[in-house]
Amino acid sequence: MVDIVIIGAGPAGMAAAIQADECGASVMLLDEQQEQGGQIYRNVLNADTARLAVMGDDYAAGQSLASALDRPGVLRELSATVWRVDPDGTVTYSVKGVARQVIGRQIIVATGALERPVPLPGWTLPDVLTAGAAQILMKSNGLVADNAVLVGCGPLLYLLAAQMCLAGAAPKALVETQTRGDTWRSLKYGMGALRGWRTLSKGLGLIAAVRRAGVPRYKAATDVRITGTDSAEAVMFSCGGTAREIACDNVFLHQGVVPNTQISRSLGLEHRWNHRQRCFEPVVDVMGATRLERIHIAGDGAAINGAKAAELQGRVTACDVLVKLGRIDPARRHNLVRPLMRALAGQMAVRPFLDALYPPSAEILRPADDTPVCRCEEVTAGDIRNYARIGCVGPNQTKAFGRSGMGPCQGRYCGLTVTEILAKENDMSLQKIGSYRVRAPLKPVTLGELASLAETNGTPTVEEDHSHD
Amino acid sequence: MFRRLETTGGDHVEFEFDGRRIVARRGDSVAAALLAAGIKSFRTTQKSGAARGPFCMMGACFDCLVEIDGETVQACAVPVSQDLLVGRCKQVSLSPRDEQ
């Protein structure tokens, strides 16, 4: 048993672990990757100066947070896949095929974000990856793609494009889906954007860098499809009434990120539809507390606000948990949290503007009938519409109708699309339609893993590795 | 097609995919090493036989499935090791349909 089990070693989880350790709580931090950092700071401790120069300051900034985690009070259990979390604080996970359990007096879920599903024709072809995947390949492996087209919208698309330009692998084109209407709609949030001017000017800097590199940008693109037989060969789209085709070797897709709610869903927590970001969020209070006494949620897994906000939120949530553990009193929490909240407000000010400027495109929210929606079971948008026509009103029912959401990804890359389609077809609210029910195991486990289940009592599988010292 | 930013450096590791010798760098996941070697398609789907390769690279999408030691695993989640034997999935055995 440990005081706090933290799931996810991204900015929120790392910051929560450091805050908890500073206040004397015992912490076990679990993460699926081999190193702490999460996806945003992936491999940051091993990145050399050349890699850091390409990835930029925001990535390099992760080094201090990731290295600050190296402290005796924080047990790290890496390469650990969490596949069950119980309301009583029991966390079940596997490391290299061996299942283990740890009990936390308190749990902080910091599992971050997933890329929003981008169902468009051809998105299942090899050589079509998410923009996040392209970044992971750069961060972890120093791999870049020549001759790639970036499709979608949002700040990450520009960041990736700028990083590729710096790496000498400028994308062949940016095919952007945001419209002039989106620009107008975003202006009413302009004041908030001005408060977040640092974020904004960084964004403008990225766009300028992409322009300087001579990368063509096609805006308000519609009818986007990726063609190819056994891999991506071209992106086809319409722009300003002209049909275009750009030959390429890779396509990187991005339409923003959404909270990864697998654990919060599996715990039966309430989730609310966020109209601005078109995704579900678990219901938490400002400290990240849920209706379950032992469960808190911090960072992008609670609401999408970016890495810097996640780091602040991780500390805030840890402070709340520390009060529950009796490690600090409410007055100390108040003093610790107040400056964090002020900084958090600054980080979040720019969000409504960005959300309005870069909404998910209408095409991916309501894909054409022949577009695969469920990648695992190859169920199309048309299939889902047919299920609706014969009486299917909920995502769970689509499983019985045609196996959507029943493959190994367990609905991670079709859930939101199925909700959108069913809401439209049934003329019901997205909140009412809801999402897939999520049950443990959250990732497929073998019978051998189940058999190997052993209580670890807070002892990590692998001895602490101090090779970074 | 992916290429390495740094053309030198890093310990080399050799492993086998579908009978083919692949030179990777220590620290690569199997998925990254295969992409670096120019392999796009890792498997075909059960339903339509369509080719699939990595999509999310973070363990969420399960598109990069390969077979190691008789088990179906995510290529993006397994680090390469010397002489590792990696095969194409004949059948994705993660779906309950297979056991019927």
Side-chain angles (χ1 to χ4, degrees):
Chain A
M1 166 122 29
V2 292
D3 286 337
I4 312 175
V5 174
I6 302 173
I7 307 167
M14 292 192 291
I18 292 164
Q19 182 67 58
D21 182 60
E22 281 168 2
C23 294
S26 60
V27 176
M28 187 191 247
L29 178 60
L30 298 158
D31 195 275
E32 229 168 9
Q33 302 303 324
Q34 300 172 63
E35 297 259 11
Q36 65 259 31
Q39 303 307 333
I40 191 92
Y41 302 136
R42 195 151 152 167
N43 203 36
V44 75
L45 291 173
N46 300 318
D48 59 15
T49 47
R51 189 85 51 92
L52 291 176
V54 166
M55 299 316 291
D57 293 342
D58 283 346
Y59 175 66
Q63 275 192 333
S64 58
L65 183 61
S67 51
L69 201 63
D70 208 359
R71 44 181 71 216
V74 178
L75 292 174
R76 277 167 291 175
E77 182 82 296
L78 298 165
S79 304
T81 299
V82 172
W83 49 268
R84 184 181 172 119
V85 180
D86 289 295
D88 69 357
T90 308
V91 176
T92 313
Y93 61 95
S94 293
V95 178
K96 295 186 175 71
V98 179
R100 303 192 161 245
Q101 281 187 325
V102 60
I103 299 166
R105 292 184 179 87
Q106 287 285 324
I107 307 290
I108 298 176
V109 179
T111 50
L114 290 173
E115 290 260 358
R116 180 190 300 281
V118 190
L120 47 84
W123 77 306
T124 52
L125 283 167
D127 278 340
V128 180
L129 290 87
T130 65
Q135 281 198 309
I136 289 166
L137 287 163
M138 287 173 87
K139 292 170 185 171
S140 293
N141 313 97
L143 284 171
V144 290
D146 290 312
N147 214 23
V149 174
L150 274 50
V151 175
C153 70
L156 184 76
L157 206 66
Y158 301 126
L159 176 61
L160 173 62
Q163 289 166 334
M164 291 171 71
C165 291
L166 270 174
K172 208 162 170 194
L174 260 64
V175 177
E176 301 176 34
T177 54
Q178 78 276 8
T179 63
R180 204 175 283 253
D182 299 328
T183 310
W184 282 109
R185 272 185 290 278
S186 70
L187 290 181
K188 71 172 167 182
Y189 303 106
M191 282 314 286
L194 289 180
R195 279 185 66 202
W197 63 271
R198 270 200 192 84
T199 312
L200 209 61
S201 71
K202 229 176 263 170
L204 292 172
L206 295 174
I207 294 171
V210 173
R211 190 175 299 135
R212 273 198 307 277
V215 179
R217 290 176 64 197
Y218 301 91
K219 293 183 208 170
T222 56
D223 306 312
V224 184
R225 54 171 58 230
I226 303 159
T227 57
T229 45
D230 285 326
S231 65
E233 288 164 21
V235 177
M236 296 174 76
F237 59 97
S238 301
C239 184
T242 311
R244 293 183 184 271
E245 178 173 357
I246 303 175
C248 60
D249 293 334
N250 283 95
V251 180
F252 300 140
L253 301 173
H254 182 69
Q255 291 274 349
V257 297
V258 296
N260 175 3
T261 57
Q262 296 296 112
I263 291 175
S264 52
R265 284 280 181 198
S266 75
L267 285 163
L269 292 168
E270 192 192 333
H271 289 67
R272 208 171 280 149
W273 181 257
N274 178 328
H275 286 280
R276 241 181 340 102
Q277 298 188 337
R278 297 203 84 85
C279 61
F280 284 106
E281 294 169 344
V283 175
V284 295
D285 70 8
V286 286
M287 312 295 274
T290 70
R291 68 165 176 82
L292 293 169
E293 184 58 25
R294 290 171 190 269
I295 311 285
H296 280 66
I297 307 174
D300 274 0
I304 301 300
N305 285 300
K308 292 227 167 67
E311 183 178 339
L312 293 161
Q313 191 68 54
R315 279 194 180 266
V316 167
T317 299
C319 289
D320 200 44
V321 167
L322 287 160
V323 170
K324 288 193 170 136
L325 291 166
R327 292 279 175 186
I328 60 172
D329 59 24
R332 176 94 198 278
R333 173 181 59 192
H334 179 76
N335 288 336
L336 285 169
V337 162
R338 202 169 40 179
L340 297 170
M341 286 293 194
R342 206 174 302 131
L344 203 49
Q347 282 299 324
M348 286 159 74
V350 75
R351 266 307 131 177
F353 173 77
L354 292 178
D355 293 339
L357 186 58
Y358 301 115
S361 78
E363 279 175 25
I364 66 133
L365 297 179
R366 287 177 283 283
D369 275 348
D370 61 349
T371 307
V373 164
C374 167
R375 299 172 63 93
C376 300
E377 297 288 337
E378 302 185 278
V379 181
T380 65
D383 292 333
I384 304 289
R385 290 188 181 106
N386 280 333
Y387 308 154
R389 254 168 242 138
I390 53 175
C392 180
V393 293
N396 290 306
Q397 278 183 306
T398 64
K399 297 182 181 180
F401 276 92
R403 297 195 53 82
S404 81
M406 290 187 79
C409 102
Q410 295 174 285
R412 286 172 176 84
Y413 285 103
C414 67
L416 281 174
T417 315
V418 168
T419 297
E420 291 271 5
I421 294 174
L422 289 179
K424 177 85 179 160
E425 293 300 308
N426 288 299
D427 197 19
M428 283 165 70
S429 76
L430 293 130
Q431 182 71 43
K432 190 97 197 270
I433 290 289
S435 78
Y436 290 132
R437 192 172 300 120
V438 177
R439 285 200 190 88
L442 300 168
K443 295 249 169 129
V445 285
T446 63
L447 285 173
E449 270 172 273
L450 283 174
S452 70
L453 197 54
E455 166 86 41
T456 53
N457 284 318
T459 314
T461 318
V462 192
E463 287 300 302
E464 278 291 86
D465 176 6
H466 292 285
S467 56
H468 300 305
D469 292 3
Chain B
M1 179 78 184
F2 288 91
R3 69 172 162 86
R4 303 268 180 189
L5 268 175
E6 301 97 1
T7 47
T8 55
D11 291 344
H12 283 196
V13 177
E14 285 189 31
F15 71 105
E16 202 173 282
F17 176 69
D18 202 22
R20 182 178 151 187
R21 206 76 187 148
I22 309 282
V23 181
R25 295 216 181 146
R26 195 171 297 284
D28 280 349
S29 62
V30 169
L34 292 180
L35 287 176
I39 294 165
K40 306 154 180 279
S41 165
F42 289 18
R43 66 179 179 100
T44 53
T45 61
Q46 229 177 329
K47 195 171 162 187
S48 74
R52 286 288 168 90
F55 179 65
C56 79
M57 287 303 292
M58 56 183 265
C61 77
F62 290 80
D63 267 317
C64 67
L65 296 173
V66 293
E67 210 171 279
I68 297 175
D69 289 336
E71 268 181 37
T72 304
V73 295
Q74 294 170 290
C76 72
V78 180
V80 292
S81 53
Q82 185 64 37
D83 299 323
L84 185 73
L85 290 176
V86 183
R88 289 187 190 271
C89 298
K90 302 296 173 286
Q91 282 252 304
V92 179
S93 59
L94 290 168
S95 157
R97 188 163 46 202
D98 306 336
E99 278 115 53
Q100 284 163 11

